[in-house]
Amino acid sequence: MAPIPGSGLAKGLAVTLRTMTKKTVTEQYPDAQPDLPPRTRGVIGLFEENCTVCMLCARECPDWCIYIDSHKETVPAAAPGGRERSRNVLDRFAIDFSLCMYCGICIEVCPFDALFWSPEFEYAETDIRDLTHERDKLREWMWTVPAPPALDPGAEEPKEIVTARKTAEKLAAAQAEPAPSDDPQGEES
């Protein structure tokens, strides 16, 4: 059976009329900020105090968009007669977001929790060369990272917290015990 001439046009107009009568769901972005889901991947924030310059993030990055420079610094001995130690000091930590594919491998491999996902998404630049952000900007984004979700009420308490609580209880018990006095006058003969 041959199609009726103009039936395609009628179907198209029906879809258009149906869509025209519905309320729009478009949000006017600059005026109204979007409600982002809790696990939104925006940019990567750096918690510089936790970074030990182990270079795992830069080595594991498939795009090679993380640039890290450091130098060694000698730390004097903590106790007399001890030996000096050396440690890495972070000079530069930069991420080129024009190359980054937001895979999150750098965040997953960081053993010291120095990198976090920030929901910040407004970091557009007019020049592509300005998309390489240094550690100062990454540190600013760190403070936009949301707090981790609460633990499941039925879950076991983390072993670190249990150990810390036991240690604190032992210290409190040791401080509560009266110290034996060396004062011979207080003793009865």
Side-chain angles (χ1 to χ4, degrees), residues 12 139 142:
R139 187 182 315 119
M142 182 60 207

Side-chain angles (χ1 to χ4, degrees), residues 83-156:
R83 68 177 186 152
E84 294 180 337
R85 305 276 179 177
S86 66
R87 68 179 187 106
N88 286 334
V89 177
L90 186 65
D91 292 331
R92 179 181 187 224
F93 193 104
I95 299 177
D96 188 352
F97 286 103
S98 66
L99 297 175
C100 182
M101 65 179 179
Y102 304 92
C103 63
I105 292 174
C106 57
I107 295 169
E108 295 296 322
V109 301
C110 182
F112 301 104
D113 289 334
L115 298 173
F116 293 89
W117 281 118
S118 168
E120 185 69 36
F121 63 94
E122 297 177 303
Y123 57 96
E125 300 288 346
T126 55
D127 188 3
I128 196 167
R129 292 173 291 204
D130 295 334
L131 281 172
T132 301
H133 294 289
E134 298 291 332
R135 68 182 182 177
D136 296 332
K137 188 68 172 174
L138 299 176
R139 187 182 315 119
E140 286 177 29
W141 286 329
M142 182 60 207
W143 308 121
T144 64
V145 173
L151 295 175
D152 183 21
E156 291 181 20

Side-chain angles (χ1 to χ4, degrees), residues 7-93:
S7 64
L9 179 64
K11 286 181 185 178
L13 286 173
V15 170
T16 302
L17 288 173
R18 221 177 313 129
T19 306
M20 283 176 49
T21 59
K22 289 183 182 177
K23 183 172 170 54
T24 61
V25 293
T26 304
E27 293 182 20
Q28 300 301 321
Y29 162 63
D31 300 327
Q33 291 292 322
D35 293 330
L36 301 173
R39 294 175 47 127
T40 300
R41 289 184 175 188
V43 292
I44 298 169
L46 171 68
F47 191 54
E48 193 174 336
E49 289 77 17
N50 286 357
C51 184
T52 60
V53 196
C54 66
M55 307 287 259
L56 277 176
C57 55
R59 279 185 273 160
E60 294 296 324
C61 179
D63 293 332
W64 292 87
C65 65
I66 300 175
Y67 309 109
I68 300 175
D69 291 331
S70 68
H71 69 275
K72 289 210 181 275
E73 188 175 85
T74 303
V75 179
R83 68 177 186 152
E84 294 180 337
R85 305 276 179 177
S86 66
R87 68 179 187 106
N88 286 334
V89 177
L90 186 65
D91 292 331
R92 179 181 187 224
F93 193 104

